[in-house]
């Protein structure tokens, strides 16, 4: 068993070390960090977004094609005499984003759990207030998920649901988050799409 495990690990290491070098051996390229927004340093971790640069657009396109990654000529930039394109590997293998005009089927809101359970009526402008403002205006039935962070009896959440959204046409459910406190001000947006149910880790640029 241990011998088989060692062989598997060794094979994986050999693939990681040698395959990228072999794939790009004939192409000269470099990797550069994309600087973040100085006015919004929390927008992305330093070094999380990178440019892959090559001598010309054809070479750059070849690298992306060999990895089956999206390449858009309109995104190519001239940097220090080279052609550069944002490099990324989708976290979900085979992920393809839905068209912009696809009908939305569901929304998720991370709510201030205690404010929700207490039946707060004061308007402070957080996600709970936003929900109460926009959901009645949506004519179609949507799947609405409320992110909550307190493990309590379901009956408490259902009673609060009647206080805030009695008679709502939407299918409202709850998702228990792992956070120890609420962040009802989050503005993150996740693009919807399809990936065939297969997951893979976030990718890194090839090693020059």
């Amino acid at each position: 068993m241990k011998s088989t495990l060692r062989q598997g690990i060794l094979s994986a290491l050999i693939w990681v070390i040698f395959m990228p070098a072999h794939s790009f051996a004939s192409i000269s390229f470099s990797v550069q960090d994309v600087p973040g927004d100085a006015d919004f340093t929390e927008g992305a971790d330093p070094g999380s977004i990178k440019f892959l640069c090559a001598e010309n657009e054809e070479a750059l396109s070849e690298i992306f094609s060999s990895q089956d990654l999206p390449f858009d000529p309109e995104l190519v930039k001239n940097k220090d005499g080279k052609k550069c394109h944002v490099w990324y590997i989708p976290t979900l293998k085979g992920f393809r984003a839905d068209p912009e005009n696809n009908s939305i089927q569901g929304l998720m809101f991370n709510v201030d759990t205690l404010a929700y359970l207490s039946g707060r009526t004061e308007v402070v402008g957080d996600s709970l207030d936003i929900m109460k403002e926009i959901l009645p205006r949506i004519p179609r039935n949507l799947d609405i998920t409320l992110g909550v962070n307190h493990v309590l009896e379901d009956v408490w959440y259902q009673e609060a649901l009647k206080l805030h959204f009695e008679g709502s046409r939407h299918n409202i459910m709850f998702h228990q988050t792992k956070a120890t406190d609420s962040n009802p001000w989050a503005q993150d947006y996740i693009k919807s799409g399809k990936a065939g149910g297969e997951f893979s880790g976030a990718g890194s640029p090839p090693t020059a």
Side-chain angles (χ1 to χ4, degrees), residues 12-51:
L13 286 173
I14 291 174
W15 187 90
V16 170
I17 293 171
F18 290 105
M19 284 302 290
H22 174 74
S23 301
F24 306 114
S26 61
I27 302 175
S28 174
F29 64 89
S30 61
V31 178
Q32 301 180 22
D33 286 343
V34 176
D37 187 339
D39 295 326
F40 183 41
T41 55
E42 298 86 1
D45 288 335
S48 61
I49 305 176
K50 298 181 182 297
F51 275 126

Side-chain angles (χ1 to χ4, degrees), residues 111-121 128 131-132 146 148 152-168 172 174:
V111 298
D112 183 328
T113 310
L114 295 181
Y116 168 80
L117 290 172
S118 66
R120 185 195 72 200
T121 57
L128 180 58
M131 286 181 64
K132 294 168 76 170
L146 298 187
V148 295
L152 298 171
E153 294 293 333
D154 182 63
V155 64
W156 291 22
Y157 287 101
Q158 297 302 328
E159 287 297 323
L161 196 61
K162 295 177 183 178
L163 290 174
H164 295 290
F165 303 103
E166 186 172 13
S168 175
I172 302 178
F174 300 94

Side-chain angles (χ1 to χ4, degrees), residues 118-158:
S118 66
R120 185 195 72 200
T121 57
E122 179 188 5
V123 176
V124 299
D126 64 358
S127 58
L128 180 58
D129 291 330
I130 292 171
M131 286 181 64
K132 294 168 76 170
E133 181 68 23
I134 70 172
L135 291 189
R137 300 169 184 260
I138 301 174
R140 295 185 294 109
N141 295 348
L142 297 182
D143 291 329
I144 307 298
T145 301
L146 298 187
V148 295
N149 66 335
H150 291 276
V151 181
L152 298 171
E153 294 293 333
D154 182 63
V155 64
W156 291 22
Y157 287 101
Q158 297 302 328

Side-chain angles (χ1 to χ4, degrees), residues 15-31 52-54 58-69 87 89 204-208:
W15 187 90
V16 170
I17 293 171
F18 290 105
M19 284 302 290
H22 174 74
S23 301
F24 306 114
S26 61
I27 302 175
S28 174
F29 64 89
S30 61
V31 178
L52 190 71
C53 303
E58 290 73 20
L60 197 59
S61 175
E62 184 179 337
I63 296 176
F64 278 77
S65 296
S66 68
Q67 300 297 295
D68 192 28
L69 295 176
W87 173 273
I89 296 177
S204 300
T207 303

